[in-house]
Amino acid sequence: MSVIIIGAGLGGLSLAQGLRRAGIPCQVYERDPSPEARLQGYRLHIGGVGDSALREVLTPELHELFRATAGRALPHTNVYDDQLRLVTRLEDEGVHLNVNRFTLRQILLHGQEVRYGKRFTHYETGDDGVTAHFADGTAARGSLLVGADGVNSPVRRQRLPHARVVDAGLVHLYGRIPLTPDTRRLLAPEMFAVFNMMLGPDRTMAGFAPVDYPEPVARACARLMPDLRLRDNEPYLTCSVGARWEVVGHSEAELAAMTPGELQKVALGLLAGWHPLATALVGHWDVPVTFPQPIRTSVPIGPWEPSRVTLAGDAIHAMSPAGGAGANTALRDGAVLASALAGAPPLEAVAAYESAMADYGFAAVRESAGNGRRFLGQNPLTAEV
């Protein structure tokens, strides 16, 4: 058996690591020219689901390195109004790790062979396998194809054309703040938590959370994986400003055409009259790495017949960030599918995986949509197919 994986995001790489541990050959194809080609976000919250998946797919040394580079967050989310008055505190005593997305991705890339610059166009299936075709005219053949190619997945469009991804009505402007002695002093001790939200009366949000390494990254690598050098090693705050499109007052195309400095000005305009902390945080953004991100969500669908083509991560259950579950669910997909393939023939394994994944994946979509509606004014989730 051999597996073709389209997409080198968290779900695809989780699967690749799990298959590698199981001794199942796989090849990862990624459309981007390199791992650093796109800004995809900064801090990720990894909870018990994600940590368990990583423990399952990674070698013990790699998992220990993940834990050594994951910040321990206070087990709560603070919700404030726009004048920094505490509205509620959402407590959860489970596992709470605030991690750098690119640090985690580098760990998942370790030991993997990824072919970059390979834009998938379509696949063809037969009785004994599946062939993936790429825009450069090349093709790859395997026993199974997994589309882990994100919210705009071309694999999903061919495999499940009725599966919809819709606009959530929101856009976030993402910024990053170096965590220096000066910026640390901006935050009260209780803000070194899973996440902090300041909410305005029109559901505009300023959200922030620290990524604070428990030990120097270079020291952790030298101690646990001397052959691995992790590129990003400075602590920071992730800070985003989000609102409904009509509040932002700019279209997706207009935001995409703006410079990072212009995006910062839009964010500051949305926070006019707020508590000084909000504008101070945005004022400390590392401006050149600011970017806009429209928020989209999948619409859950009913069961489908398994085949030699399946999906993982945002390709099948994209969700708003309001549940903090997207990365954890993608990592879980990789672990569940790798385990299924290690114990059964491909079609039986895919059937078992898709049955489980549709249950927990679409449950996370619904929960994230509910949280997004409650706190951010997200559009109601449209009718399921």
Side-chain angles (χ1 to χ4, degrees):
M1 180 167 59
S2 61
V3 180
I4 299 167
I5 302 171
I6 307 298
L10 300 183
L13 293 175
S14 171
L15 172 61
Q17 287 284 357
L19 293 175
R20 183 173 176 233
R21 290 199 75 186
I24 298 173
C26 68
Q27 180 63 62
V28 182
Y29 296 87
E30 169 58 49
R31 67 179 179 178
D32 288 345
S34 73
E36 303 89 359
R38 259 185 317 138
L39 292 173
Q40 294 179 286
Y42 299 119
R43 162 263 186 199
L44 292 172
H45 169 246
I46 300 299
V49 167
D51 185 46
S52 294
L54 289 167
R55 188 184 301 276
E56 187 173 339
V57 302
L58 295 176
T59 63
E61 296 81 8
L62 275 178
H63 183 259
E64 190 174 352
L65 181 61
F66 160 71
R67 294 294 301 241
T69 57
R72 274 56 173 177
L74 295 176
H76 59 254
T77 294
N78 297 307
V79 182
Y80 303 95
D81 68 11
D82 58 351
Q83 299 306 314
L84 206 61
R85 293 179 290 252
L86 185 66
V87 175
T88 187
R89 177 168 288 154
L90 308 174
E91 305 274 0
D92 184 349
E93 294 299 327
V95 174
H96 294 292
L97 305 172
N98 281 356
V99 307
N100 183 346
R101 175 189 288 268
F102 192 63
T103 299
L104 174 56
R105 195 175 181 205
Q106 288 176 92
I107 290 171
L108 286 166
L109 280 165
H110 185 65
Q112 301 291 350
E113 180 186 353
V114 178
R115 299 186 182 180
Y116 291 98
K118 305 291 284 187
R119 184 172 66 83
F120 170 86
T121 58
H122 66 284
Y123 64 81
E124 296 175 305
T125 56
D127 292 338
D128 60 346
V130 58
T131 301
H133 294 271
F134 301 94
D136 60 5
T138 61
R141 186 162 179 81
S143 309
L144 181 72
L145 184 145
V146 181
D149 48 345
V151 66
N152 296 312
S153 167
V155 180
R156 181 191 67 244
R157 287 197 295 269
Q158 183 176 353
R159 176 67 185 91
L160 297 172
H162 63 290
R164 293 180 293 146
V165 174
V166 297
D167 178 23
L170 308 170
V171 61
H172 284 193
L173 307 177
Y174 279 96
R176 184 181 66 190
I177 302 167
L179 198 51
T180 65
D182 286 341
T183 55
R184 285 179 187 274
R185 282 192 288 270
L186 293 173
L187 304 186
E190 64 270 16
M191 292 176 176
F192 286 83
V194 173
F195 199 62
N196 303 276
M197 289 189 290
M198 294 176 66
L199 300 177
D202 56 2
R203 302 295 181 91
T204 297
M205 180 207 73
F208 53 96
V211 175
D212 205 1
Y213 299 106
E215 68 175 296
V217 171
R219 182 192 303 167
C221 289
R223 178 169 59 85
L224 297 168
M225 298 288 295
D227 62 331
L228 178 57
R229 297 290 184 271
L230 297 177
R231 191 193 71 180
D232 292 353
N233 56 17
E234 296 299 326
Y236 64 86
L237 284 167
T238 186
C239 177
S240 62
V241 176
R244 289 193 57 82
W245 284 106
E246 60 267 24
V247 174
V248 174
H250 296 281
S251 69
E252 182 174 346
E254 288 170 340
L255 290 177
M258 288 183 182
T259 66
E262 290 169 338
L263 293 172
Q264 184 188 40
K265 289 179 181 177
V266 171
L268 288 170
L270 291 170
L271 303 180
W274 286 39
H275 188 278
L277 175 64
T279 52
L281 289 172
V282 176
H284 279 87
W285 277 3
D286 183 4
V287 175
V289 294
T290 302
F291 67 97
Q293 183 61 60
I295 306 302
R296 298 183 172 91
T297 181
S298 295
V299 178
I301 59 174
W304 59 92
E305 287 295 319
S307 75
R308 290 185 178 273
V309 179
T310 190
L311 299 156
D314 283 352
I316 182 62
H317 47 59
M319 61 194 78
S320 88
N328 291 275
T329 310
L331 294 170
R332 183 178 183 180
D333 289 348
V336 171
L337 181 52
S339 177
L341 289 169
L347 287 179
E348 292 181 23
V350 168
Y353 159 72
E354 289 183 341
S355 176
M357 178 271 290
D359 284 345
Y360 67 72
F362 290 141
V365 169
R366 296 183 189 98
E367 182 178 1
S368 295
N371 286 343
R373 181 70 175 164
R374 174 186 174 193
F375 292 112
L376 309 176
Q378 179 176 331
N379 292 343
L381 197 61
T382 56
E384 300 180 11
V385 177

